[in-house]
Amino acid sequence: KFDVVVKLNKMIEKTKFNFDFINYKNDILYNCVDINIQNGDYPYNIDNWVTNKVKHVRIPYPAVTGYYANNLRKFENLNNNKIEYSVVDKYFYQTLQNNLGTIPNTGTIAIFDLFFQKPKILSIVGITFNKTGYCSSYKEQVWYDKKVKSRNHDHDKQLMFFKKFYNKNSDVIVIDDVLKN
């Protein structure tokens, strides 16, 4: 029933959904292309993405900082034209960050980036703004142990912003029961 299935970061490798066809359809992958072993983000595997038939990688963090620019350079070197990709527009990213008052997560960027492509329906499954651990195998335990200490993303601000946005756009956005709760 879905024209396009979008997944985030490690969902391809680690998350299993109730709808089996979603597990095997990988049209777009939003991936932060950040390798930060201290936070539990181990190296991504572009060959694995190709094997899993990812059609397009969308990188949510444009080169607005030296750190993000370095991540993009590393990705481009590893990718070596194996998979098609694009990067979220700098102005869009900065506007979203300013409106949130925090650095947005990959999922938050994906939601808004996709919404502004004007889909008929944007169905969101498997996202909880890091409130529940939707899938316990999604991130390494070290990440969950440190997430409370993280100053990069204020999950509460992102969730509150999304709630307001969802309430204004619930005719287009459909969310799963986990996110509703």
Side-chain angles (χ1 to χ4, degrees), residues 7 12 30 39 41 49 61-63 76 79 81-82 90 99-100 121-122 124 130 152 154 169 174 179:
K7 294 185 181 166
I12 288 174
Y30 277 76
N39 288 327
D41 287 330
W49 298 347
Y61 298 100
E76 288 168 345
N79 185 34
N81 296 317
K82 293 177 189 174
K90 288 180 182 182
N99 285 324
L100 290 170
I121 298 292
L122 178 58
I124 301 172
N130 292 303
N152 293 337
D154 185 324
N169 296 286
V174 176
L179 185 53

Side-chain angles (χ1 to χ4, degrees), residues 8-9 60-61 68 93 96-112 124 127-131 143 147 150-167 179:
L8 310 174
N9 290 328
Y61 298 100
Y68 295 162
Y93 171 82
L96 181 60
Q97 182 177 351
N98 289 339
N99 285 324
L100 290 170
T102 186
I103 297 171
N105 290 54
T106 297
T108 301
I109 296 169
I111 289 168
F112 289 95
I124 301 172
I127 294 179
T128 64
F129 292 84
N130 292 303
K131 294 296 178 188
W143 185 86
K147 83 172 190 164
S150 173
R151 295 179 201 178
N152 293 337
H153 308 289
D154 185 324
H155 302 116
D156 292 329
K157 283 183 179 180
Q158 292 178 77
L159 181 57
M160 300 280 64
F161 188 84
F162 173 75
K163 281 182 181 181
K164 290 176 189 173
F165 190 79
Y166 169 73
N167 288 334
L179 185 53

Side-chain angles (χ1 to χ4, degrees), residues 164-181:
K164 290 176 189 173
F165 190 79
Y166 169 73
N167 288 334
K168 291 179 184 175
N169 296 286
S170 60
D171 57 325
V172 175
I173 301 172
V174 176
I175 59 176
D176 66 3
D177 288 339
V178 176
L179 185 53
K180 278 182 187 173
N181 293 329

Side-chain angles (χ1 to χ4, degrees), residues 9-10 13-14 29 31-49 71 74-75 78 138-140:
N9 290 328
K10 304 212 184 286
E13 297 98 355
K14 298 195 171 202
L29 173 65
N31 192 289
C32 65
V33 298
D34 184 14
I35 300 169
N36 189 335
I37 294 173
Q38 288 180 305
N39 288 327
D41 287 330
Y42 294 96
Y44 47 84
N45 186 325
I46 294 171
D47 292 330
N48 185 27
W49 298 347
N71 285 340
K74 286 179 191 174
F75 170 79
L78 290 170
Y138 177 71
K139 289 272 194 174
E140 304 301 325

Side-chain angles (χ1 to χ4, degrees), residues 108-122:
T108 301
I109 296 169
I111 289 168
F112 289 95
D113 190 38
L114 291 165
F115 182 85
F116 289 108
Q117 303 308 312
K118 300 183 180 174
K120 291 179 186 173
I121 298 292
L122 178 58

